[in-house]
Amino acid sequence: MRILFVGFIGFLIQSNPTIYFKEPLNFDAEIHINSEGNFISKGTMSFREEAFIYNLVSPYNQTIASKNGKLYVQDDDFQQVIIYNDTKSFFLQDLFNNKYETESFPCPNSCFKLNPQDGSTFQEALVSMNGSVIDWIRLIDIKDQRIFIKFENFKFESSNITYVVPQNYEIISND
């Protein structure tokens, strides 16, 4: 009977996802995104308690922000902001909020593998941590595209995120 009890406790411990990101997770970082060696984009990201702002600087200027249940996509070329209901489907947003089940994965730092859920936007994802700092994320999306996200100048922050729609920009509500 004791063996069954110990086995059951072990099963419960293994079935619960490991929490890798302290909540609330508040950070700023530079992000470089590549796909199979080809440059996709780079910019800076600020993440605060489930809200984020991602300022792309290359290949073009664009801002993506999430706050108070809304997702804002600011396109400076067309001088417009499209506002969506935030369905929390942004991969990094779910990752930083510990929404995925994980398992340890051997690598030089501390790594873990994400287990995709039904309807997930990825097939496979590996995350490398250097202490409590995110080093990189490697994922294969549902289109079999290999994406590598490198985090640089990662620092923990406590300031608030603010996003204000620029004046003279067309606002498009897309519910």
Side-chain angles (χ1 to χ4, degrees), residues 90-142:
F90 193 60
F91 170 78
L92 292 176
Q93 189 176 25
D94 286 345
L95 172 66
F96 300 146
N97 288 316
N98 296 299
K99 301 293 184 197
Y100 298 109
E101 288 188 21
T102 61
E103 59 186 77
S104 293
F105 191 84
C107 77
N109 290 327
S110 172
C111 292
F112 58 94
K113 180 179 175 183
L114 302 179
N115 297 320
Q117 302 162 344
D118 289 338
S120 182
T121 59
F122 69 95
Q123 295 178 36
E124 178 181 297
L126 297 175
V127 179
S128 174
M129 305 282 292
N130 190 356
S132 58
V133 172
I134 305 163
D135 188 23
W136 53 258
I137 299 170
R138 187 185 78 202
L139 63 96
I140 300 173
D141 69 9
I142 56 176

Side-chain angles (χ1 to χ4, degrees), residues 21 25 27-34 43-47 54 90-93 95-96 126-130 133-139 148-155:
F21 302 111
L25 177 64
F27 73 87
D28 290 337
E30 293 175 22
I31 300 177
H32 300 262
I33 303 175
N34 293 294
T44 58
M45 175 177 247
S46 296
F47 189 88
Y54 179 39
F90 193 60
F91 170 78
L92 292 176
Q93 189 176 25
L95 172 66
F96 300 146
L126 297 175
V127 179
S128 174
M129 305 282 292
N130 190 356
V133 172
I134 305 163
D135 188 23
W136 53 258
I137 299 170
R138 187 185 78 202
L139 63 96
F148 185 76
I149 306 170
K150 176 72 174 149
F151 290 77
E152 295 179 346
N153 299 320
F154 191 99
K155 63 183 177 198

Side-chain angles (χ1 to χ4, degrees), residues 4-164:
L4 280 174
F5 181 74
V6 170
F8 181 71
I9 295 296
F11 173 77
L12 282 177
I13 291 170
Q14 284 199 339
S15 67
N16 291 332
T18 303
I19 303 299
Y20 282 92
F21 302 111
K22 291 184 261 180
E23 291 184 12
L25 177 64
N26 298 323
F27 73 87
D28 290 337
E30 293 175 22
I31 300 177
H32 300 262
I33 303 175
N34 293 294
S35 175
E36 309 217 14
N38 297 319
F39 171 78
I40 294 178
S41 67
K42 73 176 181 176
T44 58
M45 175 177 247
S46 296
F47 189 88
R48 308 281 189 280
E49 301 177 31
E50 297 190 25
F52 69 88
I53 189 162
Y54 179 39
N55 292 304
L56 283 89
V57 295
S58 184
Y60 47 83
N61 291 334
Q62 186 178 49
T63 300
I64 302 170
S66 171
K67 190 159 181 158
N68 298 329
K70 298 292 180 188
L71 186 68
Y72 303 88
V73 179
Q74 176 182 317
D75 188 329
D76 293 336
D77 289 340
F78 294 109
Q79 292 192 328
Q80 67 184 17
V81 175
I82 301 173
I83 303 172
Y84 300 92
N85 286 327
D86 186 2
T87 60
K88 307 284 188 205
S89 61
F90 193 60
F91 170 78
L92 292 176
Q93 189 176 25
D94 286 345
L95 172 66
F96 300 146
N97 288 316
N98 296 299
K99 301 293 184 197
Y100 298 109
E101 288 188 21
T102 61
E103 59 186 77
S104 293
F105 191 84
C107 77
N109 290 327
S110 172
C111 292
F112 58 94
K113 180 179 175 183
L114 302 179
N115 297 320
Q117 302 162 344
D118 289 338
S120 182
T121 59
F122 69 95
Q123 295 178 36
E124 178 181 297
L126 297 175
V127 179
S128 174
M129 305 282 292
N130 190 356
S132 58
V133 172
I134 305 163
D135 188 23
W136 53 258
I137 299 170
R138 187 185 78 202
L139 63 96
I140 300 173
D141 69 9
I142 56 176
K143 298 176 186 173
D144 283 332
Q145 187 174 22
R146 296 178 185 280
I147 298 170
F148 185 76
I149 306 170
K150 176 72 174 149
F151 290 77
E152 295 179 346
N153 299 320
F154 191 99
K155 63 183 177 198
F156 291 100
E157 276 292 330
S158 61
S159 61
N160 290 327
I161 288 181
T162 57
Y163 174 77
V164 178

Side-chain angles (χ1 to χ4, degrees), residues 78-81 165-171:
F78 294 109
Q79 292 192 328
Q80 67 184 17
V81 175
V165 175
Q167 288 184 347
N168 301 326
Y169 274 49
E170 179 183 6
I171 299 172

